[in-house]
Amino acid sequence: MTLLHLAPAPRTDEPTDDDSRPVPIVALHERVHALDLSQRAQQRNEDAAFQAVLNADAVLTGAFSDTLDTVVQSMSWTGHPPVPDLQMVASAVTHLGSADGTRGWWLHYTRREQGFGEDGDLVHVLTLIAPCSCGSYLTVELVDEDHLIVVLDELDTEPGAPVDCDYRLRIRRNSYADPAHSSVEPPL
């Protein structure tokens, strides 16, 4: 077996006569001054939004393989960059359709920190957003695929139609559904 040992070339603080390249630290400073920081921030935001789309697809494939993954087209999500001022991480949303062609059902993906400090972790959060007959929207954070099945089974409206405001009063006792309207505007 042959071992190859690489030793760094001797360096000096001054470029030699035969070396016209600037000293690495000088080149680094020149490079940093040439960078457009606003463009780099925009690229990071776009990358985060695209990563949210990839994560959303992965969550459907892994955790909702018999339901949502079979009906939501891969890469049909619209990614949204993080909003640091509002402490919002990147997210993604996809339209699930509507019965009336105006107000539709949506699926929203984001991540949320669960726990604190070193024990904290980012968890995937998938939220079903449904139009309400009063004009607002209802949101239900989906725990897992069984939860989605229970929520959809409890509805007594046509698929894709707005949900009645009082549907939560008629829900079976063991429901996971969120008890409050969360928005009066269309999602994202």
Side-chain angles (χ1 to χ4, degrees):
M1 179 163 92
T2 304
L3 294 175
L4 180 62
H5 179 69
L6 300 175
R11 294 189 176 200
T12 64
D13 289 342
E14 301 292 325
T16 60
D17 292 338
D18 62 319
D19 189 4
S20 61
R21 293 180 304 182
V23 175
I25 191 65
V26 173
L28 179 61
H29 279 278
E30 289 172 359
R31 179 72 180 129
V32 167
H33 287 291
L35 293 176
D36 181 358
L37 295 182
S38 64
Q39 184 180 14
R40 290 178 58 84
Q42 181 180 356
Q43 183 62 45
R44 275 193 306 275
N45 286 341
E46 289 173 8
D47 291 346
F50 182 66
Q51 188 62 49
V53 168
L54 295 177
N55 287 341
D57 271 340
V59 166
L60 293 193
T61 301
F64 294 86
S65 58
D66 293 329
T67 54
L68 291 170
D69 191 45
T70 64
V71 297
V72 175
Q73 265 189 321
S74 179
M75 301 302 287
S76 66
W77 299 82
T78 301
H80 296 276
V83 184
D85 294 343
L86 300 176
Q87 296 179 340
M88 294 173 64
V89 298
S91 63
V93 66
T94 190
H95 189 247
L96 298 176
S98 89
D100 60 9
T102 56
R103 295 179 50 235
W105 288 62
W106 299 85
L107 195 57
H108 180 265
Y109 165 83
T110 192
R111 295 184 313 165
R112 175 177 54 230
E113 190 168 344
Q114 186 171 355
F116 299 100
E118 292 180 10
D119 295 332
D121 196 15
L122 288 175
V123 295
H124 302 282
V125 179
L126 201 59
T127 305
L128 181 66
I129 303 171
C132 182
S133 59
C134 71
S136 68
Y137 280 85
L138 302 169
T139 62
V140 178
E141 190 173 301
L142 300 174
V143 176
D144 57 21
E145 194 163 47
D146 292 338
H147 177 204
L148 171 66
I149 293 167
V150 168
V151 168
L152 292 178
D153 184 50
E154 291 172 344
L155 295 177
D156 59 1
T157 60
E158 292 296 316
V163 177
D164 292 331
C165 282
D166 66 347
Y167 105 94
R168 294 185 190 281
L169 301 176
R170 298 189 311 267
I171 290 179
R172 287 179 242 147
R173 212 186 253 178
N174 61 350
S175 174
Y176 295 107
D178 181 12
H181 285 59
S182 64
S183 175
V184 293
E185 299 179 13
L188 304 175

